[in-house]
mmCIF file of all heavy atoms in Angstrom:
data_model
loop_
_atom_site.group_PDB
_atom_site.id
_atom_site.type_symbol
_atom_site.label_atom_id
_atom_site.label_comp_id
_atom_site.label_asym_id
_atom_site.label_seq_id
_atom_site.Cartn_x
_atom_site.Cartn_y
_atom_site.Cartn_z
ATOM 1 N N LEU A 15 81.651 111.600 98.548
ATOM 2 C CA LEU A 15 82.939 110.904 98.863
ATOM 3 C C LEU A 15 83.914 111.860 99.570
ATOM 4 O O LEU A 15 84.582 111.419 100.486
ATOM 5 C CB LEU A 15 83.515 110.443 97.559
ATOM 6 C CG LEU A 15 84.770 109.621 97.533
ATOM 7 C CD1 LEU A 15 84.684 108.338 98.375
ATOM 8 C CD2 LEU A 15 85.305 109.334 96.140
ATOM 9 N N GLU A 16 84.046 113.059 99.208
ATOM 10 C CA GLU A 16 84.895 114.142 99.777
ATOM 11 C C GLU A 16 84.463 114.232 101.279
ATOM 12 O O GLU A 16 85.405 114.298 102.228
ATOM 13 C CB GLU A 16 84.831 115.328 99.060
ATOM 14 C CG GLU A 16 85.581 115.341 97.655
ATOM 15 C CD GLU A 16 86.977 115.151 97.909
ATOM 16 O OE1 GLU A 16 87.616 115.641 98.765
ATOM 17 O OE2 GLU A 16 87.586 114.376 97.019
ATOM 18 N N GLU A 17 83.235 114.291 101.545
ATOM 19 C CA GLU A 17 82.651 114.393 102.916
ATOM 20 C C GLU A 17 83.178 113.210 103.705
ATOM 21 O O GLU A 17 83.614 113.302 104.853
ATOM 22 C CB GLU A 17 81.197 114.536 102.908
ATOM 23 C CG GLU A 17 80.608 114.920 104.265
ATOM 24 C CD GLU A 17 79.154 115.017 104.238
ATOM 25 O OE1 GLU A 17 78.672 115.868 103.311
ATOM 26 O OE2 GLU A 17 78.435 114.527 105.079
ATOM 27 N N HIS A 18 82.937 111.989 103.243
ATOM 28 C CA HIS A 18 83.283 110.793 103.868
ATOM 29 C C HIS A 18 84.797 110.737 104.248
ATOM 30 O O HIS A 18 85.179 110.464 105.275
ATOM 31 C CB HIS A 18 82.846 109.584 103.123
ATOM 32 C CG HIS A 18 81.466 109.378 102.924
ATOM 33 N ND1 HIS A 18 80.943 108.538 102.033
ATOM 34 C CD2 HIS A 18 80.470 109.932 103.627
ATOM 35 C CE1 HIS A 18 79.615 108.495 101.998
ATOM 36 N NE2 HIS A 18 79.299 109.403 102.999
ATOM 37 N N LEU A 19 85.593 111.135 103.151
ATOM 38 C CA LEU A 19 87.040 111.136 103.330
ATOM 39 C C LEU A 19 87.523 112.121 104.386
ATOM 40 O O LEU A 19 88.432 111.868 105.196
ATOM 41 C CB LEU A 19 87.771 111.462 102.063
ATOM 42 C CG LEU A 19 87.698 110.255 101.034
ATOM 43 C CD1 LEU A 19 88.240 110.798 99.739
ATOM 44 C CD2 LEU A 19 88.472 109.098 101.491
ATOM 45 N N PHE A 20 86.808 113.288 104.437
ATOM 46 C CA PHE A 20 87.161 114.377 105.367
ATOM 47 C C PHE A 20 86.891 113.798 106.832
ATOM 48 O O PHE A 20 87.743 113.924 107.735
ATOM 49 C CB PHE A 20 86.234 115.603 105.217
ATOM 50 C CG PHE A 20 86.360 116.620 106.292
ATOM 51 C CD1 PHE A 20 87.549 117.379 106.312
ATOM 52 C CD2 PHE A 20 85.491 116.785 107.253
ATOM 53 C CE1 PHE A 20 87.725 118.340 107.328
ATOM 54 C CE2 PHE A 20 85.583 117.674 108.244
ATOM 55 C CZ PHE A 20 86.716 118.531 108.309
ATOM 56 N N TYR A 21 85.705 113.212 107.043
ATOM 57 C CA TYR A 21 85.404 112.685 108.455
ATOM 58 C C TYR A 21 86.329 111.483 108.847
ATOM 59 O O TYR A 21 86.785 111.385 109.967
ATOM 60 C CB TYR A 21 83.971 112.187 108.569
ATOM 61 C CG TYR A 21 82.959 113.363 108.566
ATOM 62 C CD1 TYR A 21 81.858 113.343 107.689
ATOM 63 C CD2 TYR A 21 83.110 114.410 109.365
ATOM 64 C CE1 TYR A 21 81.034 114.383 107.656
ATOM 65 C CE2 TYR A 21 82.262 115.451 109.490
ATOM 66 C CZ TYR A 21 81.129 115.451 108.652
ATOM 67 O OH TYR A 21 80.251 116.439 108.663
ATOM 68 N N LEU A 22 86.600 110.607 107.862
ATOM 69 C CA LEU A 22 87.465 109.441 108.136
ATOM 70 C C LEU A 22 88.948 109.882 108.404
ATOM 71 O O LEU A 22 89.581 109.441 109.296
ATOM 72 C CB LEU A 22 87.446 108.406 106.981
ATOM 73 C CG LEU A 22 86.166 107.694 106.792
ATOM 74 C CD1 LEU A 22 86.128 107.086 105.399
ATOM 75 C CD2 LEU A 22 85.955 106.850 107.922
ATOM 76 N N SER A 23 89.474 110.867 107.640
ATOM 77 C CA SER A 23 90.846 111.331 107.859
ATOM 78 C C SER A 23 90.905 112.102 109.208
ATOM 79 O O SER A 23 91.862 111.966 109.950
ATOM 80 C CB SER A 23 91.278 112.310 106.815
ATOM 81 O OG SER A 23 90.503 113.471 106.661
ATOM 82 N N GLN A 24 89.898 112.967 109.539
ATOM 83 C CA GLN A 24 89.746 113.551 110.897
ATOM 84 C C GLN A 24 89.813 112.492 112.067
ATOM 85 O O GLN A 24 90.434 112.662 112.981
ATOM 86 C CB GLN A 24 88.616 114.492 111.012
ATOM 87 C CG GLN A 24 88.528 115.241 112.255
ATOM 88 C CD GLN A 24 87.255 116.144 112.284
ATOM 89 O OE1 GLN A 24 86.455 116.182 111.347
ATOM 90 N NE2 GLN A 24 87.129 116.890 113.417
ATOM 91 N N ALA A 25 89.031 111.503 111.895
ATOM 92 C CA ALA A 25 88.918 110.457 112.849
ATOM 93 C C ALA A 25 90.210 109.746 112.985
ATOM 94 O O ALA A 25 90.712 109.378 114.090
ATOM 95 C CB ALA A 25 87.918 109.483 112.551
ATOM 96 N N TYR A 26 90.960 109.537 111.871
ATOM 97 C CA TYR A 26 92.199 108.812 111.894
ATOM 98 C C TYR A 26 93.319 109.693 112.507
ATOM 99 O O TYR A 26 94.054 109.143 113.417
ATOM 100 C CB TYR A 26 92.672 108.578 110.431
ATOM 101 C CG TYR A 26 93.971 107.897 110.308
ATOM 102 C CD1 TYR A 26 94.134 106.522 110.659
ATOM 103 C CD2 TYR A 26 95.087 108.499 109.821
ATOM 104 C CE1 TYR A 26 95.379 105.943 110.480
ATOM 105 C CE2 TYR A 26 96.380 107.881 109.700
ATOM 106 C CZ TYR A 26 96.455 106.571 109.989
ATOM 107 O OH TYR A 26 97.668 106.023 109.960
ATOM 108 N N GLU A 27 93.365 111.018 112.222
ATOM 109 C CA GLU A 27 94.358 111.819 112.760
ATOM 110 C C GLU A 27 94.185 112.013 114.320
ATOM 111 O O GLU A 27 95.132 112.033 115.118
ATOM 112 C CB GLU A 27 94.324 113.215 112.198
ATOM 113 C CG GLU A 27 94.907 113.132 110.673
ATOM 114 C CD GLU A 27 94.584 114.541 110.039
ATOM 115 O OE1 GLU A 27 94.207 115.506 110.673
ATOM 116 O OE2 GLU A 27 94.877 114.461 108.854
ATOM 117 N N GLU A 28 92.875 112.141 114.797
ATOM 118 C CA GLU A 28 92.615 112.326 116.161
ATOM 119 C C GLU A 28 92.254 111.138 116.906
ATOM 120 O O GLU A 28 91.864 111.152 118.108
ATOM 121 C CB GLU A 28 91.439 113.350 116.304
ATOM 122 C CG GLU A 28 91.880 114.739 115.625
ATOM 123 C CD GLU A 28 90.768 115.703 115.672
ATOM 124 O OE1 GLU A 28 89.767 115.568 116.567
ATOM 125 O OE2 GLU A 28 90.803 116.642 114.844
ATOM 126 N N GLN A 29 92.288 109.895 116.313
ATOM 127 C CA GLN A 29 91.973 108.622 116.842
ATOM 128 C C GLN A 29 90.575 108.693 117.507
ATOM 129 O O GLN A 29 90.372 108.184 118.663
ATOM 130 C CB GLN A 29 92.992 108.228 117.886
ATOM 131 C CG GLN A 29 94.227 107.695 117.229
ATOM 132 C CD GLN A 29 93.990 106.445 116.365
ATOM 133 O OE1 GLN A 29 93.608 105.431 116.857
ATOM 134 N NE2 GLN A 29 94.267 106.606 115.075
ATOM 135 N N LEU A 30 89.608 109.204 116.793
ATOM 136 C CA LEU A 30 88.194 109.273 117.255
ATOM 137 C C LEU A 30 87.533 108.112 116.795
ATOM 138 O O LEU A 30 87.823 107.485 115.685
ATOM 139 C CB LEU A 30 87.508 110.540 116.720
ATOM 140 C CG LEU A 30 88.241 111.882 117.032
ATOM 141 C CD1 LEU A 30 87.443 113.038 116.276
ATOM 142 C CD2 LEU A 30 87.991 112.091 118.666
ATOM 143 N N GLU A 31 86.402 107.701 117.459
ATOM 144 C CA GLU A 31 85.594 106.638 116.927
ATOM 145 C C GLU A 31 84.508 107.210 115.994
ATOM 146 O O GLU A 31 84.143 108.343 116.090
ATOM 147 C CB GLU A 31 84.694 106.055 118.094
ATOM 148 C CG GLU A 31 85.415 105.057 118.968
ATOM 149 C CD GLU A 31 84.542 104.174 119.769
ATOM 150 O OE1 GLU A 31 83.262 104.648 120.035
ATOM 151 O OE2 GLU A 31 84.993 103.153 120.324
ATOM 152 N N VAL A 32 84.296 106.445 115.052
ATOM 153 C CA VAL A 32 83.375 106.726 113.876
ATOM 154 C C VAL A 32 82.274 105.712 113.702
ATOM 155 O O VAL A 32 82.475 104.603 113.998
ATOM 156 C CB VAL A 32 84.017 106.967 112.600
ATOM 157 C CG1 VAL A 32 84.846 108.198 112.507
ATOM 158 C CG2 VAL A 32 84.739 105.725 112.137
ATOM 159 N N LYS A 33 81.117 106.159 113.396
ATOM 160 C CA LYS A 33 79.973 105.225 113.148
ATOM 161 C C LYS A 33 79.835 105.265 111.534
ATOM 162 O O LYS A 33 79.681 106.311 110.952
ATOM 163 C CB LYS A 33 78.721 105.586 113.636
ATOM 164 C CG LYS A 33 77.578 104.613 113.204
ATOM 165 C CD LYS A 33 76.366 104.981 114.168
ATOM 166 C CE LYS A 33 75.397 105.824 113.344
ATOM 167 N NZ LYS A 33 74.031 105.968 113.943
ATOM 168 N N VAL A 34 80.053 104.117 110.880
ATOM 169 C CA VAL A 34 79.983 103.993 109.399
ATOM 170 C C VAL A 34 78.837 103.006 109.083
ATOM 171 O O VAL A 34 78.769 101.989 109.626
ATOM 172 C CB VAL A 34 81.246 103.419 108.819
ATOM 173 C CG1 VAL A 34 81.203 103.321 107.449
ATOM 174 C CG2 VAL A 34 82.453 104.337 109.179
ATOM 175 N N ILE A 35 77.953 103.560 108.218
ATOM 176 C CA ILE A 35 76.929 102.726 107.663
ATOM 177 C C ILE A 35 77.419 102.384 106.204
ATOM 178 O O ILE A 35 77.652 103.204 105.422
ATOM 179 C CB ILE A 35 75.531 103.424 107.646
ATOM 180 C CG1 ILE A 35 75.129 103.763 109.145
ATOM 181 C CG2 ILE A 35 74.485 102.585 106.950
ATOM 182 C CD1 ILE A 35 73.882 104.631 109.239
ATOM 183 N N TYR A 36 77.406 101.134 105.864
ATOM 184 C CA TYR A 36 77.948 100.731 104.634
ATOM 185 C C TYR A 36 77.228 99.435 104.077
ATOM 186 O O TYR A 36 76.478 98.759 104.770
ATOM 187 C CB TYR A 36 79.511 100.375 104.709
ATOM 188 C CG TYR A 36 79.853 99.210 105.687
ATOM 189 C CD1 TYR A 36 80.184 97.946 105.115
ATOM 190 C CD2 TYR A 36 79.772 99.299 107.022
ATOM 191 C CE1 TYR A 36 80.475 96.843 105.890
ATOM 192 C CE2 TYR A 36 80.006 98.090 107.827
ATOM 193 C CZ TYR A 36 80.427 96.940 107.267
ATOM 194 O OH TYR A 36 80.720 95.896 108.054
ATOM 195 N N PHE A 37 77.475 99.260 102.796
ATOM 196 C CA PHE A 37 76.723 98.213 102.059
ATOM 197 C C PHE A 37 77.624 96.963 102.168
ATOM 198 O O PHE A 37 78.760 96.902 101.872
ATOM 199 C CB PHE A 37 76.518 98.569 100.644
ATOM 200 C CG PHE A 37 75.679 97.709 99.814
ATOM 201 C CD1 PHE A 37 74.378 97.605 100.035
ATOM 202 C CD2 PHE A 37 76.342 96.902 98.869
ATOM 203 C CE1 PHE A 37 73.611 96.714 99.319
ATOM 204 C CE2 PHE A 37 75.499 95.978 98.169
ATOM 205 C CZ PHE A 37 74.151 95.950 98.350
ATOM 206 N N LYS A 38 76.977 95.880 102.653
ATOM 207 C CA LYS A 38 77.663 94.607 102.807
ATOM 208 C C LYS A 38 76.683 93.428 102.587
ATOM 209 O O LYS A 38 75.594 93.285 103.250
ATOM 210 C CB LYS A 38 78.176 94.491 104.217
ATOM 211 C CG LYS A 38 78.972 93.178 104.553
ATOM 212 C CD LYS A 38 79.395 93.193 105.995
ATOM 213 C CE LYS A 38 80.187 91.981 106.376
ATOM 214 N NZ LYS A 38 80.631 92.024 107.711
ATOM 215 N N TYR A 39 76.988 92.653 101.563
ATOM 216 C CA TYR A 39 76.146 91.403 101.277
ATOM 217 C C TYR A 39 74.767 91.739 101.026
ATOM 218 O O TYR A 39 73.887 91.286 101.622
ATOM 219 C CB TYR A 39 76.328 90.361 102.379
ATOM 220 C CG TYR A 39 77.712 89.895 102.653
ATOM 221 C CD1 TYR A 39 78.216 90.067 103.878
ATOM 222 C CD2 TYR A 39 78.545 89.451 101.598
ATOM 223 C CE1 TYR A 39 79.488 89.570 104.248
ATOM 224 C CE2 TYR A 39 79.802 88.991 101.897
ATOM 225 C CZ TYR A 39 80.336 89.111 103.124
ATOM 226 O OH TYR A 39 81.615 88.799 103.358
ATOM 227 N N SER A 40 74.481 92.692 100.175
ATOM 228 C CA SER A 40 73.142 93.086 99.718
ATOM 229 C C SER A 40 72.234 93.688 100.762
ATOM 230 O O SER A 40 71.039 93.759 100.698
ATOM 231 C CB SER A 40 72.394 91.893 99.034
ATOM 232 O OG SER A 40 72.081 90.904 99.861
ATOM 233 N N ARG A 41 72.796 94.215 101.835
ATOM 234 C CA ARG A 41 72.097 95.023 102.822
ATOM 235 C C ARG A 41 73.037 95.999 103.549
ATOM 236 O O ARG A 41 74.258 95.856 103.396
ATOM 237 C CB ARG A 41 71.347 94.207 103.816
ATOM 238 C CG ARG A 41 72.184 93.185 104.626
ATOM 239 C CD ARG A 41 71.279 92.464 105.667
ATOM 240 N NE ARG A 41 70.002 92.232 105.234
ATOM 241 C CZ ARG A 41 69.508 90.966 104.797
ATOM 242 N NH1 ARG A 41 70.182 89.954 105.077
ATOM 243 N NH2 ARG A 41 68.375 90.882 104.294
ATOM 244 N N TYR A 42 72.463 96.893 104.194
ATOM 245 C CA TYR A 42 73.315 97.885 104.962
ATOM 246 C C TYR A 42 73.580 97.360 106.338
ATOM 247 O O TYR A 42 72.801 96.731 106.994
ATOM 248 C CB TYR A 42 72.637 99.309 105.036
ATOM 249 C CG TYR A 42 72.604 99.977 103.690
ATOM 250 C CD1 TYR A 42 71.431 99.919 102.881
ATOM 251 C CD2 TYR A 42 73.733 100.631 103.284
ATOM 252 C CE1 TYR A 42 71.496 100.567 101.583
ATOM 253 C CE2 TYR A 42 73.731 101.183 102.058
ATOM 254 C CZ TYR A 42 72.615 101.195 101.322
ATOM 255 O OH TYR A 42 72.703 101.805 100.088
ATOM 256 N N ASP A 43 74.925 97.689 106.729
ATOM 257 C CA ASP A 43 75.368 97.249 108.059
ATOM 258 C C ASP A 43 76.004 98.552 108.671
ATOM 259 O O ASP A 43 76.279 99.463 108.005
ATOM 260 C CB ASP A 43 76.475 96.132 107.913
ATOM 261 C CG ASP A 43 76.687 95.344 109.243
ATOM 262 O OD1 ASP A 43 75.939 95.624 110.167
ATOM 263 O OD2 ASP A 43 77.572 94.467 109.204
ATOM 264 N N GLU A 44 76.144 98.329 109.968
ATOM 265 C CA GLU A 44 76.746 99.492 110.768
ATOM 266 C C GLU A 44 77.860 98.926 111.602
ATOM 267 O O GLU A 44 77.855 97.937 112.165
ATOM 268 C CB GLU A 44 75.710 100.077 111.665
ATOM 269 C CG GLU A 44 76.029 101.250 112.560
ATOM 270 C CD GLU A 44 74.937 101.600 113.431
ATOM 271 O OE1 GLU A 44 73.888 102.084 112.872
ATOM 272 O OE2 GLU A 44 75.089 101.596 114.691
ATOM 273 N N ILE A 45 78.908 99.795 111.529
ATOM 274 C CA ILE A 45 80.145 99.435 112.461
ATOM 275 C C ILE A 45 80.576 100.757 113.195
ATOM 276 O O ILE A 45 80.503 101.818 112.675
ATOM 277 C CB ILE A 45 81.239 98.922 111.619
ATOM 278 C CG1 ILE A 45 82.440 98.385 112.526
ATOM 279 C CG2 ILE A 45 81.733 99.887 110.544
ATOM 280 C CD1 ILE A 45 83.492 97.568 111.707
ATOM 281 N N ILE A 46 81.015 100.579 114.412
ATOM 282 C CA ILE A 46 81.518 101.737 115.181
ATOM 283 C C ILE A 46 82.939 101.274 115.564
ATOM 284 O O ILE A 46 83.142 100.222 116.169
ATOM 285 C CB ILE A 46 80.738 101.980 116.469
ATOM 286 C CG1 ILE A 46 79.249 102.338 116.085
ATOM 287 C CG2 ILE A 46 81.345 102.990 117.331
ATOM 288 C CD1 ILE A 46 78.303 102.510 117.198
ATOM 289 N N GLY A 47 83.900 102.140 115.253
ATOM 290 C CA GLY A 47 85.328 101.822 115.567
ATOM 291 C C GLY A 47 86.256 102.950 115.252
ATOM 292 O O GLY A 47 85.847 104.007 114.897
ATOM 293 N N ARG A 48 87.560 102.661 115.363
ATOM 294 C CA ARG A 48 88.524 103.652 115.029
ATOM 295 C C ARG A 48 89.199 103.268 113.650
ATOM 296 O O ARG A 48 89.374 102.141 113.298
ATOM 297 C CB ARG A 48 89.655 103.676 116.075
ATOM 298 C CG ARG A 48 89.089 104.054 117.430
ATOM 299 C CD ARG A 48 90.302 104.210 118.404
ATOM 300 N NE ARG A 48 89.792 104.224 119.745
ATOM 301 C CZ ARG A 48 89.364 105.431 120.357
ATOM 302 N NH1 ARG A 48 89.309 106.465 119.729
ATOM 303 N NH2 ARG A 48 89.013 105.386 121.606
ATOM 304 N N VAL A 49 89.531 104.366 112.909
ATOM 305 C CA VAL A 49 90.163 104.118 111.541
ATOM 306 C C VAL A 49 91.661 103.735 111.893
ATOM 307 O O VAL A 49 92.376 104.358 112.538
ATOM 308 C CB VAL A 49 90.165 105.449 110.719
ATOM 309 C CG1 VAL A 49 90.915 105.210 109.491
ATOM 310 C CG2 VAL A 49 88.738 105.822 110.553
ATOM 311 N N MET A 50 92.031 102.512 111.333
ATOM 312 C CA MET A 50 93.331 102.010 111.674
ATOM 313 C C MET A 50 94.348 102.151 110.460
ATOM 314 O O MET A 50 95.476 102.321 110.615
ATOM 315 C CB MET A 50 93.213 100.454 112.031
ATOM 316 C CG MET A 50 92.459 100.184 113.221
ATOM 317 S SD MET A 50 93.078 101.142 114.699
ATOM 318 C CE MET A 50 94.586 100.331 114.941
ATOM 319 N N ASP A 51 93.664 102.135 109.292
ATOM 320 C CA ASP A 51 94.513 102.103 108.045
ATOM 321 C C ASP A 51 93.782 102.546 106.843
ATOM 322 O O ASP A 51 92.557 102.426 106.838
ATOM 323 C CB ASP A 51 95.068 100.618 107.868
ATOM 324 C CG ASP A 51 96.312 100.603 107.022
ATOM 325 O OD1 ASP A 51 96.903 101.623 106.642
ATOM 326 O OD2 ASP A 51 96.711 99.513 106.689
ATOM 327 N N TRP A 52 94.516 102.932 105.776
ATOM 328 C CA TRP A 52 93.969 103.306 104.495
ATOM 329 C C TRP A 52 94.610 102.477 103.321
ATOM 330 O O TRP A 52 95.804 102.099 103.621
ATOM 331 C CB TRP A 52 94.233 104.719 104.159
ATOM 332 C CG TRP A 52 93.661 105.867 105.082
ATOM 333 C CD1 TRP A 52 94.194 106.303 106.167
ATOM 334 C CD2 TRP A 52 92.467 106.499 104.819
ATOM 335 N NE1 TRP A 52 93.358 107.172 106.698
ATOM 336 C CE2 TRP A 52 92.386 107.393 105.820
ATOM 337 C CE3 TRP A 52 91.522 106.484 103.790
ATOM 338 C CZ2 TRP A 52 91.237 108.285 105.958
ATOM 339 C CZ3 TRP A 52 90.481 107.375 103.852
ATOM 340 C CH2 TRP A 52 90.274 108.217 104.973
ATOM 341 N N SER A 53 93.924 102.196 102.366
ATOM 342 C CA SER A 53 94.542 101.588 101.165
ATOM 343 C C SER A 53 94.033 102.361 99.910
ATOM 344 O O SER A 53 92.947 102.319 99.548
ATOM 345 C CB SER A 53 94.165 100.166 101.031
ATOM 346 O OG SER A 53 94.668 99.613 99.782
ATOM 347 N N ARG A 54 94.883 103.108 99.409
ATOM 348 C CA ARG A 54 94.581 103.956 98.172
ATOM 349 C C ARG A 54 94.391 103.002 96.974
ATOM 350 O O ARG A 54 93.450 103.303 96.153
ATOM 351 C CB ARG A 54 95.646 104.930 97.919
ATOM 352 C CG ARG A 54 95.774 106.066 98.905
ATOM 353 C CD ARG A 54 96.376 107.265 98.312
ATOM 354 N NE ARG A 54 96.592 108.272 99.355
ATOM 355 C CZ ARG A 54 95.657 109.160 99.652
ATOM 356 N NH1 ARG A 54 94.502 109.199 99.068
ATOM 357 N NH2 ARG A 54 95.955 110.113 100.642
ATOM 358 N N GLU A 55 95.115 101.966 96.895
ATOM 359 C CA GLU A 55 95.004 101.047 95.661
ATOM 360 C C GLU A 55 93.656 100.417 95.754
ATOM 361 O O GLU A 55 92.990 100.208 94.737
ATOM 362 C CB GLU A 55 96.069 99.914 95.803
ATOM 363 C CG GLU A 55 97.533 100.486 95.677
ATOM 364 C CD GLU A 55 98.163 100.871 96.944
ATOM 365 O OE1 GLU A 55 97.769 100.230 97.994
ATOM 366 O OE2 GLU A 55 98.988 101.768 96.982
ATOM 367 N N GLN A 56 93.242 99.869 96.951
ATOM 368 C CA GLN A 56 91.957 99.298 97.025
ATOM 369 C C GLN A 56 90.772 100.175 97.232
ATOM 370 O O GLN A 56 89.679 99.733 97.298
ATOM 371 C CB GLN A 56 92.008 98.207 98.117
ATOM 372 C CG GLN A 56 92.907 97.119 98.016
ATOM 373 C CD GLN A 56 92.922 96.128 99.224
ATOM 374 O OE1 GLN A 56 92.276 96.363 100.169
ATOM 375 N NE2 GLN A 56 93.699 95.044 99.050
ATOM 376 N N GLN A 57 91.075 101.529 97.454
ATOM 377 C CA GLN A 57 90.036 102.443 97.761
ATOM 378 C C GLN A 57 89.258 101.983 98.962
ATOM 379 O O GLN A 57 87.963 101.890 98.869
ATOM 380 C CB GLN A 57 89.198 102.746 96.619
ATOM 381 C CG GLN A 57 89.782 103.451 95.363
ATOM 382 C CD GLN A 57 89.988 104.963 95.837
ATOM 383 O OE1 GLN A 57 89.162 105.652 96.269
ATOM 384 N NE2 GLN A 57 91.361 105.352 95.726
ATOM 385 N N ALA A 58 89.901 101.666 100.084
ATOM 386 C CA ALA A 58 89.296 101.069 101.248
ATOM 387 C C ALA A 58 89.905 101.574 102.582
ATOM 388 O O ALA A 58 91.039 102.188 102.577
ATOM 389 C CB ALA A 58 89.357 99.560 101.240
ATOM 390 N N VAL A 59 89.092 101.574 103.686
ATOM 391 C CA VAL A 59 89.569 101.933 104.964
ATOM 392 C C VAL A 59 89.306 100.785 105.881
ATOM 393 O O VAL A 59 88.423 100.043 105.730
ATOM 394 C CB VAL A 59 88.753 103.108 105.383
ATOM 395 C CG1 VAL A 59 87.308 102.905 105.399
ATOM 396 C CG2 VAL A 59 89.315 103.765 106.683
#
């Protein structure tokens, strides 16, 4: 989790594209994009 947060915060600060592999609807999906926002309450990006 700390490693993910490090890369996501670095991408947010420098407006870099990231590739994220994540769990969605009972299978893994991939998205490539820029980090636009964080939500600490929802623990989401």
Side-chain angles (χ1 to χ4, degrees):
L15 182 61
E16 289 295 323
E17 185 179 316
H18 294 165
L19 289 172
F20 173 77
Y21 288 131
L22 291 168
S23 64
Q24 183 180 1
Y26 179 72
E27 290 171 8
E28 299 177 22
Q29 285 298 298
L30 300 172
E31 278 196 345
V32 291
K33 178 172 101 173
V34 176
I35 298 173
Y36 66 105
F37 188 73
K38 179 180 179 181
Y39 304 123
S40 70
R41 63 177 28 114
Y42 286 99
D43 199 4
E44 179 180 299
I45 186 171
I46 298 174
R48 296 185 194 280
V49 178
M50 300 304 294
D51 201 5
W52 296 84
S53 173
R54 292 202 184 271
E55 297 85 31
Q56 295 179 357
Q57 290 289 307
V59 62

